[in-house]
Amino acid sequence: MTVLDPKTHPRGAPPNFTLPKPNPNPTYMTDALWWLVCMREALEPADTENGGTYANKPGYHNRGSNLPDYGQGNVKTDHSIRRAPDRAGPWWKTKTSAHDWTFKSAQGGNYANIQKYTKRLIASMQSLTDLRPDDVYAYTLGQTDGDPIVEGYNEYTDGPETSADKTHLWHRHDSFRRNIIGDFPSMWKALTIDMGWTYAEWQKSVTPPAKDDDFMSFITNRAQFQAEMTAWAKTPEGSQALLTGLLASKVGSPVYASRTLGNFINDREIGDSVAKDPKFSKVGPTSPLAQLHKKVDDIAEAVDKLTPPTA
């Protein structure tokens, strides 16, 4: 099966969650997180590498069962299992929930690349209209401006985050909420931010193609559908819309609506109703009505060649 290439994947296209290579540590890391790790390396293969996921130390790198736990909200409980989302789901006790994304160029003093990706994530976190990071991230740490201060953002507090650990100047640390760390669609949210997609492009990628309900209605209840459209076409509003080609705005689908229109466009009553409108009294092959007839006939002919969808 084809593996997703984050450098060339079309914007708005649905994801593919095939693992490029087997998870090397399934005991401590979910396949979903490993998929994201692989995708990030593929996004910048010449400059970045996996800096680490699981580590037996305080925080999100560790699994929850290894950490001090005095209950939710207790200040003595490790910060990575203190909040409700970090104590829910099937993974919080057994899996790591962090990723260090290392930028080799930043290790050499060139911060342009790490700045680009850290800025993208923080901008998404700060945005009031981009909801992708809201239920995915706990916080991130990295480099945004080339100075010796670590910058970051905390989704729980909706405020800046920093660290005295200067290694974050050359690797971006991401802490994910533990309740989603095994969820591929949540990792897809994270990756689309790294890829520079807009919120609308991500939404498009996870929205299933809509069924053409009008066409299904036409197939399953043609008589009622045609009667309703015919009645509407006889009204002043309807006759005007017929002549301006706007029937599609009434029923939704231009192609299938036009095909249905073709079934009754020659109805004498409709023609008489249209003829009463002085704006469209002109006759002949270039009249508005004649042009609409031709448009409908052309579309109907094209649609007739299609294979109708099944219910």
Side-chain angles (χ1 to χ4, degrees), residues 86-156:
D86 293 320
R87 302 176 66 85
W91 310 290
W92 76 275
K93 286 187 176 182
T94 60
K95 303 296 191 243
T96 178
S97 197
H99 175 223
D100 286 341
W101 191 11
T102 296
F103 290 77
K104 291 179 282 188
S105 57
Q107 287 177 317
N110 181 351
Y111 298 118
N113 224 15
I114 191 172
Q115 287 177 32
K116 177 175 74 172
Y117 289 104
T118 306
K119 283 180 178 179
R120 278 181 182 175
L121 179 53
I122 292 178
S124 179
M125 288 176 159
Q126 292 175 328
S127 171
L128 297 179
T129 57
D130 189 343
L131 307 182
R132 285 174 292 180
D134 293 4
D135 60 358
V136 172
Y137 281 92
Y139 61 86
T140 188
L141 293 166
Q143 168 66 278
T144 63
D145 53 15
D147 67 14
I149 306 299
V150 173
E151 289 91 24
Y153 198 82
N154 191 310
E155 270 291 348
Y156 279 127

Side-chain angles (χ1 to χ4, degrees), residues 2 4 7 49 52 72-73 75 96 105 109 184 192 194 209 247 259 264 292:
T2 304
L4 186 148
K7 293 183 298 182
E49 60 189 10
Q72 181 176 322
V75 294
T96 178
S105 57
F184 280 95
T192 58
D194 292 333
L247 179 62
R259 181 178 185 181
F264 59 76
L292 181 63

Side-chain angles (χ1 to χ4, degrees), residues 1-7 15-24 29-43 45 184 187 191:
M1 189 173 181
T2 304
V3 173
L4 186 148
D5 185 343
K7 293 183 298 182
N16 173 355
F17 296 123
T18 302
L19 294 181
K21 47 191 174 183
N23 181 348
M29 178 171 53
T30 66
D31 283 351
L33 178 57
W34 175 242
W35 176 85
L36 177 63
V37 170
C38 293
M39 291 299 105
R40 284 174 167 173
E41 289 185 68
L43 189 59
F184 280 95
M187 298 299 102
L191 181 62

Side-chain angles (χ1 to χ4, degrees), residues 265 285 287-301:
I265 190 65
S287 70
L289 184 59
Q291 292 178 45
L292 181 63
H293 282 191
K294 184 177 187 309
K295 179 179 179 181
V296 169
D297 290 340
D298 291 344
I299 295 176
E301 182 180 353

Side-chain angles (χ1 to χ4, degrees), residues 55 57-64 66-87 92 97-98 137-141 153-157 161-163 168 173-178:
K57 62 182 183 179
Y60 286 87
H61 277 291
N62 211 336
R63 55 180 185 169
N66 285 349
L67 299 168
D69 186 0
Y70 295 88
Q72 181 176 322
N74 192 306
V75 294
K76 293 191 292 183
T77 296
D78 185 88
H79 74 277
S80 73
I81 56 171
R82 196 177 297 164
R83 295 179 172 89
D86 293 320
R87 302 176 66 85
W92 76 275
S97 197
Y137 281 92
Y139 61 86
T140 188
L141 293 166
Y153 198 82
N154 191 310
E155 270 291 348
Y156 279 127
T157 63
E161 188 74 39
T162 189
S163 171
H168 293 112
H173 168 86
D174 292 337
S175 289
F176 302 95
R177 301 187 182 208
R178 292 185 182 273

Side-chain angles (χ1 to χ4, degrees), residues 250-265:
K250 172 72 176 177
V251 297
S253 169
V255 173
Y256 298 124
S258 298
R259 181 178 185 181
T260 304
L261 173 60
N263 288 323
F264 59 76
I265 190 65

Side-chain angles (χ1 to χ4, degrees), residues 192-215:
T192 58
I193 295 171
D194 292 333
M195 291 161 67
W197 284 20
T198 65
Y199 182 68
E201 288 168 336
W202 165 77
Q203 280 188 310
K204 180 181 178 183
S205 76
V206 296
T207 302
K211 282 189 174 182
D212 196 320
D213 293 334
D214 297 314
F215 181 61

Side-chain angles (χ1 to χ4, degrees), residues 183-249:
D183 180 59
F184 280 95
S186 294
M187 298 299 102
W188 176 237
K189 288 181 183 181
L191 181 62
T192 58
I193 295 171
D194 292 333
M195 291 161 67
W197 284 20
T198 65
Y199 182 68
E201 288 168 336
W202 165 77
Q203 280 188 310
K204 180 181 178 183
S205 76
V206 296
T207 302
K211 282 189 174 182
D212 196 320
D213 293 334
D214 297 314
F215 181 61
M216 297 309 300
S217 175
F218 171 68
I219 292 296
T220 59
N221 200 349
R222 174 173 173 167
Q224 179 183 351
F225 183 71
Q226 184 169 342
E228 291 175 355
M229 290 300 100
T230 301
W232 174 76
K234 294 176 183 178
T235 66
E237 176 194 16
S239 62
Q240 172 107 12
L242 287 175
L243 290 173
T244 54
L246 295 178
L247 179 62
S249 69

